[in-house]
Every structure is written in structure tokens, then in C-alpha cells.
Amino acid sequence: MRELKGQYDSSFVTRYSSFLKYALLMLFAVFFLFPMYWLVLTSLKTQADQFSMPPVWWTKRLTLDYYRAIIFDSSFETLAFNSALACGGSALLSLVAGTMGAYSLSRFRLPFRLNHHLSLWILSTRMFPPIVSIVPLFLIMRALDLLDTRLALVLAYSVFNLPFVVWMMKGFFDELPRELEESALMDGDTHLGAFLRIVLPLVAPGIAATAIFCMIVSWNEFLFALILTQTDSALTLPVGIANQVTQYEIRWGVMSAAGVVAMTPMFIFALMVQRYLVRGLSFGAVKG
Amino acid sequence: MSIRFENATKIFRDLAVVDRLNLEIEDGEMMVLLGPSGCGKTTTLRMLAGLEDISEGTIYIASRCVNGVPSRHRNVAMVFQNYALYPHMTAAQNIGYPLRIRGVKRDEMARQVSEVAETLEIGRLLDRRPRELSGGERQRVALARAVIRRPAAFLMDEPLSNLDARLRLQMRGELKRLQRGLRITTLYVTHDQAEAMTLAHRVAVMREGKLQQVGTPMELYQRPANMFVAGFVGSPAMNFIQGRMEGASFRLNGGLLSLTPDQLPAAASAETLVLGFRPECASLTSPQEDGALRGTVYVTEEMGNETFVFLKCEDALITVRAEAHFKAEIGDVLGVRVPPSSVRLFEARTGKALV
Ligand SMILES: Nc1ncnc2c1ncn2[C@@H]1O[C@H](COP(=O)(O)OP(=O)(O)O)[C@@H](O)[C@H]1O
Ligand SMILES: [Mg+2]
């Protein structure tokens, strides 16, 4: 009898605590998902509903006008293209340079504890807020005649992506047993061959995770794009969307629709590689 | 191909972890490097492999000085303690990797892989990835990868230590057959004296970076050069008792042990002596017997086919092998008869063997 009662008690406790857990998670989910809902809803509402007070929380009066507006607006496509180039270009550049840098830092012993000093120095470039570097960056870009170009954005985004890539990838390389490369060397391979054939395939999930982080950050970046670009030749989506706040009106519908469309690729991307994302981040924890 | 270490030295931060090693491994020979953990065995192997540079001295492979030669040009194959199989490749791809690097054609590679896999009895595992293999199977794949390109030498760093006891014995035998069959020069590193004794043509015993003795397993067992080798080789370990000479005899607690004539001159030259004898050479007798050591039973261990009796003789704990059904209680006083011919004498201060 007592045993039975005990069992009942404990299952009651676990059920209670798991209820609590889910309640808490629901709360968080609502908190974070509500703005998304509001964005999507606003992009579909009629203009009258957008401005009505009290707000319209739910409606069946929906319109696709704003989506039509941005899809047939060639300037939106230009901005999206700029964004994609700046984001992809910087991710590629940072990954190629950063991965090799991280590998060297992880594997080769430099004299004077340079490994340690270099790693910290690379990290330190991320310790100040981006706005601090914007003025020098602006001056450099002007001197190089790169203002209002997509290349300027690629370079600028690489400034903050590169240290991130180095540190992320260094973590993955440190986790990888050295014997694997040594074994490849013994099997007759060169250092570069061992890196390409053994190391890279094994850290591929880490590279994917890192790439996605870089892309999400660059895709959403606002400040650098605002300062370094002016015209359609380099403007990105976040700045373009913000420009819908004009002197005379705030075009909520267009902004929301553009926001939804801009969000979609990153959303799909994250879903697609979610598995790798989790594996990449917990790579060290579940080695083997 | 023969291998030669000439004063090979490795220094890590002022400390010589391998200290002027001189060692020659003959063509086709299996040399086992034996020593306790941290004595520099792995470092020696890695210098030979080219994974660690040589601080001083020279290493020759097939009479060619390989100092500064990158691993890939040394033509030696290595089996790592944790096998170091490439996790993202199947067993077949792992085994074929050395050939792939050398640009061997696809079908020729497949043919050789399946041939080697056949010898090592892993033919049906070729499509699996390392994580889908058991420890013993991984071991075989690692061996196959080393064998496939017929290297000048095999280097093996404690390859059996990750296996469970039964499998270790089985693989030990197979490894020996493989090496004897292929006749490829092998340097095998282990801290397990039983592995060294069973596998080696010759054993090199190391301690704190210094080579202690090189010889066949029998030579090491019968004529250890010093107390360290004597204590390290053979299981259970050799017994040591300190004492001094009294005329033609060795003074022990409660008795005198007479020495053989050829032991006498050397024994007389040393100030203090350590007498060593192996547990399997001594026998138990009554404590009253003349010239027998007296000891109190500390503990007994029945192994099934034999029984080991541990006795306290003053400060020393000694081991004697008795037959399977021998019975004794803790605290019993027994005599130990040591035949003079089986006794080894060591100088106490240096540990060097006399005679
Ligand atoms: N890369 C290294 N840096 C400094 N000391 C090392 C390094 N590798 C090994 N050692 C030291 O060298 C000694 C011998 O190591 P090792 O050759 O691995 O011994 P074993 O294989 O016989 O156990 C140990 O004391 C170890 O701490
Ligand atoms: Mg070792």
C-alpha cells in the first residue's frame, strides 16, 4: 500500500513539474512569437484595420495588396539582391579566411605564446560596440572609393564575422583528435591533404552552423548598411524597409510585408539546418 | 627495412624525455619497447614516425637518415592506441586511404582492399563506419590500413590497450601471426610485460627516457641487467631482499643462504647486496628447515592452476608460487627454500646486476 502511495505521489510530482515546465515554455513562446504574429497580420490587414483603435487582433478581412506591391516593385528585388550578396559574400570570405586561421591557431605551436595572444587579440576586436568602428570604417571606405558599394558591406560585415568564425571553428578543431590528422600524415598525406580530406568533412556541421550565424547577423545588419550605403546600388533590405518610414507617412503594410519576405529565407535556412545547428553547437558534448 | 636510433634524444623544456637512445632493429624483426607509463616510449615512436622532431642524434630507416624527413616520405605505417580511424569514411575507405593518396586506380584499390580485408577477416564489415564497429573490429581495420601499402616498418603504440582482456589475448596472437607472416620490421610500444614477452623477437626496456636493456624475452627474464628490469619483466614480479655477505653465505633473517661459487667474487665486491629470486623458483617448506627464509603469510591468491602466497619477511613482502591446492591461513609461519642457482644478486646502491 505504502509503495503504491509513494508511486502515486512521485508521479504526481513529476506531472506537476512537467506541467509547470510547459506552462513556462508556452509563456516564452507567446512572448517571442507575438511580434511575428503581429508582423504577419499587419502585412495582411487593410489600411483601415491597421490604424483602428482598439487594435484589430484578429480579422478575416485580409488583403495581399502589400505583397503585390513589393513583389512588383523592382527596387525591392534590388535590395534583396544587395542583401544576399553582402551577406553571402561576407560569410564566404569570413569562413574561408577564418577557418584556415582557426586551424592554424588550433594546431601549430607558435613561439612566445603567440597562439594565446593572437586568439585574444582576434576576440578583442569584438569587445567594443560596432558603432565605435563605424567612423574609421567610413573614412577607410571613402579613401578606397568604396562608399555605396556592395563590396564595402562584404568587407564591413567580415570585420565582425571573422573573429566569430575564428573562435567558433577553433573550438571545433580543438575538439577533433589530433591523431586523425597524424594518421593521415602517416598514411602518406600532406598537411593540406589531411586538412581537406579528413578535417574539413568532420567539421562540416560546425562550418554550416557558423555560416548560418554569420548570414543571420549580416542579413539583419542595419547600422553599417545605413552609414556605408545610400542608393539602390548597395542599399540592403533592413535599411530599405526602414526607409518606408517617410516624412509624411509610415507605410505599415509595405513595411510588414517586406519584413515577412525578408525574414523568410533565414527562417527556412535555420529550419533546414536545425539538426546541424544543434549538433554543431553541442559538438564537444557528444563527441564520438 | 632496418631501423637505427643513434643517440636519439628528445628534449621537452630542458628535460630529456628520451635520452641518447641507441637501438637497432633488424630487418623483419619485431622489437617491443617496454616501460612504465611516462618513460618516453610514445615520444620515441613519434620521433621515428616523423610526428615529433629529433632534438639531438640521428634516426635511420633502411640506412637513410630521416631527420627532418616528413612522415609521408618515411614509408612507415602507424597503428594508434585509439586506432584513429576516419569517422566519416567506411571501413573500406579507411583501409584504402593510403592507396587513394598514392593515386592508385579505383578498381585496383578495391581489389587490394578486399584482399587485405580477407586476411584480417573483416570482409563483411567493409561498408560500415567506424562507429558501427566493435573495438576488436576497429583494431582490425586499423591494422588493415597499415598493412595495405606494405610499409618499410610498422609502428604500434599500445594497440591492444583499448580492448577487453579476452579480446586482447586473442588479438595478441593474431598480431604475432600477422607480423611473423609478413616479416615487416615492427616497433611495438607497450607497458604490459606479458605483451612484450609474447610478441617480441627482442625487447627494449626503458625507464625515464633511458634504455635499460635490450634482449630476447628469455635473456631479460633470466639475466636482467638491473633491478628495474628484473622487477618489470615477469609476473608476479621478482622478489628482492636486502642483506650482506657473511663468508660464503648471504645473511638473511633467521638464516644463511649459501651462494654458488661463481656468484661469490662479485658478491664480495659489493658493500650492500640485494638478492633477487623469482616466485616460481622458490618453494614453500617448514620454517625449521635449515637455510630457509622464514615468513608470515600475508595473503594467498588462488588462481585455479596455481596459488600465489605472499609472505612478510621482516620488511620485505615476497611472493612464492605454490601448487593449486596449497592451503595456508593468514598469519601462518612458513619457510621459503630458495635454490642458490636461481638467485640473482644486485648491488643495492646502483641496482646493477652482479655476475
Ligand atoms: N608535447 C609534450 N610536451 C611536453 N612534455 C611532453 C610532451 N609529450 C610528452 N611529454 C612528456 O614526456 C614524457 C614521456 O611521455 P611519453 O613518451 O608519452 O611516455 P609513454 O608513452 O612512455 O607513456 C612524459 O613525462 C610526458 O609528460
Ligand atoms: Mg604512451
Side-chain angles (χ1 to χ4, degrees):
Chain A
M1 267 311 275
R2 270 176 63 178
E3 255 175 39
L4 273 176
K5 189 160 172 285
Q7 246 169 22
Y8 175 76
D9 277 349
S10 74
S11 89
F12 177 76
V13 169
T14 47
R15 238 192 271 170
Y16 185 71
S17 73
S18 82
F19 169 76
L20 214 74
K21 200 162 68 191
Y22 282 109
L24 210 65
L25 286 175
M26 291 287 274
L27 204 72
F28 275 114
V30 168
F31 182 79
F32 285 109
L33 287 177
F34 181 75
M36 302 260 198
Y37 167 72
W38 199 245
L39 183 76
V40 174
L41 188 66
T42 308
S43 73
L44 294 167
K45 274 190 217 168
T46 60
Q47 190 152 18
D49 282 347
Q50 282 168 10
F51 290 100
S52 75
M53 261 304 165
V56 179
W57 298 105
W58 174 248
T59 175
K60 287 221 172 77
R61 247 182 310 146
L62 299 176
T63 170
L64 285 174
D65 284 352
Y66 301 116
Y67 286 95
R68 235 169 260 134
I70 58 164
I71 284 166
F72 293 115
D73 177 4
S74 67
S75 132
F76 178 85
E77 278 157 35
T78 313
L79 297 197
F81 182 67
N82 290 344
S83 269
L85 261 186
C87 160
S90 138
L92 193 69
L93 182 67
S94 320
L95 275 170
V96 171
T99 303
M100 295 198 285
Y103 182 71
S104 308
L105 281 176
S106 166
R107 284 300 190 260
F108 299 106
R109 284 284 132 250
L110 303 171
F112 311 117
R113 301 202 341 121
L114 267 180
N115 294 68
H116 175 78
H117 295 307
L118 279 176
S119 302
L120 272 190
W121 175 65
I122 290 170
L123 185 67
S124 73
T125 59
R126 300 236 349 169
M127 285 180 184
F128 48 82
I131 196 148
V132 175
S133 59
I134 195 71
V135 172
L137 211 52
F138 179 85
L139 295 176
I140 293 170
M141 293 304 175
R142 195 178 60 184
L144 294 174
D145 208 14
L146 284 176
L147 282 181
D148 202 26
T149 64
R150 293 180 290 239
L151 181 59
L153 289 181
V154 169
L155 294 176
Y157 292 172
S158 299
V159 169
F160 55 74
N161 276 339
L162 197 56
F164 175 73
V165 171
V166 170
W167 271 80
M168 276 291 274
M169 292 314 298
K170 186 171 172 303
F172 292 120
F173 291 136
D174 286 346
E175 287 294 332
L176 209 63
R178 228 168 240 267
E179 281 95 344
L180 291 179
E181 290 142 83
E182 293 182 340
S183 176
L185 293 182
M186 297 306 301
D187 284 344
D189 216 338
T190 57
H191 264 290
L192 185 65
F195 178 72
L196 293 177
R197 275 181 279 257
I198 306 297
V199 177
L200 274 192
L202 289 173
V203 296
I207 293 182
T210 311
I212 285 163
F213 280 118
C214 288
M215 297 222 233
I216 290 174
V217 173
S218 325
W219 185 262
N220 295 333
E221 204 282 333
F222 184 80
L223 183 67
F224 286 10
L226 182 70
I227 306 290
L228 297 176
T229 67
Q230 273 157 358
T231 67
D232 276 1
S233 66
L235 267 180
T236 61
L237 277 178
V239 182
I241 292 171
N243 283 349
Q244 300 303 314
V245 182
T246 65
Q247 222 168 336
Y248 311 104
E249 54 168 352
I250 299 178
R251 299 160 70 191
W252 286 114
V254 175
M255 275 174 79
S256 306
V260 170
V261 174
M263 199 171 70
T264 313
M266 289 302 121
F267 187 72
I268 294 172
F269 215 169
L271 278 187
M272 250 167 39
V273 293
Q274 191 181 31
R275 204 160 56 90
Y276 288 107
L277 213 68
V278 175
R279 179 168 144 63
L281 291 177
S282 60
F283 192 64
V286 292
K287 190 167 68 177
Chain B
M1 280 345 119
S2 67
I3 290 170
R4 189 149 51 92
F5 292 85
E6 226 175 68
N7 285 318
T9 301
K10 180 71 194 183
I11 296 172
F12 283 126
R13 298 170 216 267
D14 302 342
L15 187 76
V17 286
V18 177
D19 195 1
R20 282 163 290 161
L21 175 69
N22 285 295
L23 183 65
E24 178 149 11
I25 309 167
E26 282 158 28
D27 188 22
E29 184 181 32
M30 184 162 197
M31 174 72 80
V32 174
L33 201 52
L34 175 69
S37 169
C39 73
K41 307 181 295 289
T42 298
T43 309
T44 306
L45 204 66
R46 289 172 59 87
M47 283 198 288
L48 177 56
L51 297 172
E52 204 85 69
D53 41 77
I54 304 158
S55 306
E56 281 160 38
T58 322
I59 297 179
Y60 299 91
I61 299 177
S63 315
R64 181 172 73 119
C65 166
V66 293
N67 289 28
V69 174
S71 302
R72 65 177 184 281
H73 294 144
R74 294 193 184 195
N75 192 25
V76 294
M78 187 149 166
V79 178
F80 290 80
Q81 184 170 358
N82 56 10
Y83 318 134
L85 296 179
Y86 312 124
H88 57 302
M89 297 184 187
T90 62
Q93 288 167 329
N94 264 284
I95 298 169
Y97 188 79
L99 300 185
R100 185 177 144 202
I101 300 305
R102 285 165 179 74
V104 174
K105 292 264 174 344
R106 195 171 286 265
D107 43 347
E108 170 63 13
M109 188 162 100
R111 195 188 61 73
Q112 290 194 32
V113 167
S114 68
E115 191 184 298
V116 171
E118 228 38 71
T119 355
L120 283 152
E121 296 169 19
I122 45 174
R124 57 198 173 76
L125 305 174
L126 286 178
D127 294 329
R128 298 208 203 155
R129 286 181 201 279
R131 82 172 74 86
E132 297 159 341
L133 299 172
S134 72
E137 290 163 351
R138 285 179 203 183
Q139 170 82 77
R140 282 164 199 268
V141 174
L143 278 173
R145 187 175 64 183
V147 168
I148 194 161
R149 66 194 164 98
R150 299 290 169 139
F154 283 142
L155 314 184
M156 307 194 183
D157 192 356
E158 317 221 4
L160 302 181
S161 59
N162 278 2
L163 301 176
D164 62 59
R166 252 176 64 96
L167 201 53
R168 195 177 317 163
L169 290 192
Q170 188 198 337
M171 282 309 293
R172 192 166 85 187
E174 293 191 24
L175 215 54
K176 186 168 181 175
R177 282 185 61 87
L178 189 72
Q179 198 277 335
R180 299 300 191 267
L182 297 172
R183 294 207 190 86
I184 290 181
T185 314
T186 303
L187 182 58
Y188 182 104
V189 159
T190 182
H191 64 263
D192 180 347
Q193 63 92 25
E195 252 171 49
M197 299 296 272
T198 49
L199 283 172
H201 289 117
R202 285 191 302 157
V203 181
V205 184
M206 259 180 112
R207 177 198 196 185
E208 289 169 10
K210 293 189 181 63
L211 188 64
Q212 304 291 306
Q213 186 176 5
V214 187
T216 64
M218 252 336 177
E219 281 166 8
L220 295 194
Y221 179 81
Q222 289 176 337
R223 272 188 301 284
N226 56 38
M227 281 174 69
F228 178 78
V229 176
F232 207 80
V233 171
S235 172
M238 185 184 264
N239 297 303
F240 295 115
I241 298 176
Q242 196 150 14
R244 62 197 156 75
M245 291 303 294
E246 226 176 77
S249 305
F250 189 77
R251 163 62 73 183
L252 299 163
N253 68 325
L256 284 168
L257 189 86
S258 53
L259 298 178
T260 58
D262 54 331
Q263 290 168 335
L264 280 175
S269 69
E271 294 163 28
T272 43
L273 286 175
V274 172
L275 174 141
F277 64 93
R278 296 206 175 269
E280 50 274 28
C281 295
S283 54
L284 292 167
T285 172
S286 106
Q288 274 76 42
E289 187 177 304
D290 209 28
L293 276 165
R294 262 194 305 282
T296 351
V297 175
Y298 185 74
V299 77
T300 61
E301 285 180 356
E302 282 154 53
M303 310 299 290
N305 58 341
E306 60 196 351
T307 298
F308 291 110
V309 183
F310 296 78
L311 303 114
K312 262 276 195 242
C313 291
E314 289 188 346
D315 322 334
L317 186 65
I318 63 170
T319 317
V320 177
R321 202 196 92 130
E323 80 276 20
H325 298 291
F326 183 83
K327 285 275 176 283
E329 294 300 322
I330 293 175
D332 286 357
V333 177
L334 296 174
V336 180
R337 189 192 302 139
V338 185
S341 60
S342 72
V343 159
R344 314 280 331 155
L345 288 172
F346 303 94
E347 203 202 337
R349 198 168 47 79
T350 58
K352 278 219 177 69
L354 300 166
V355 188

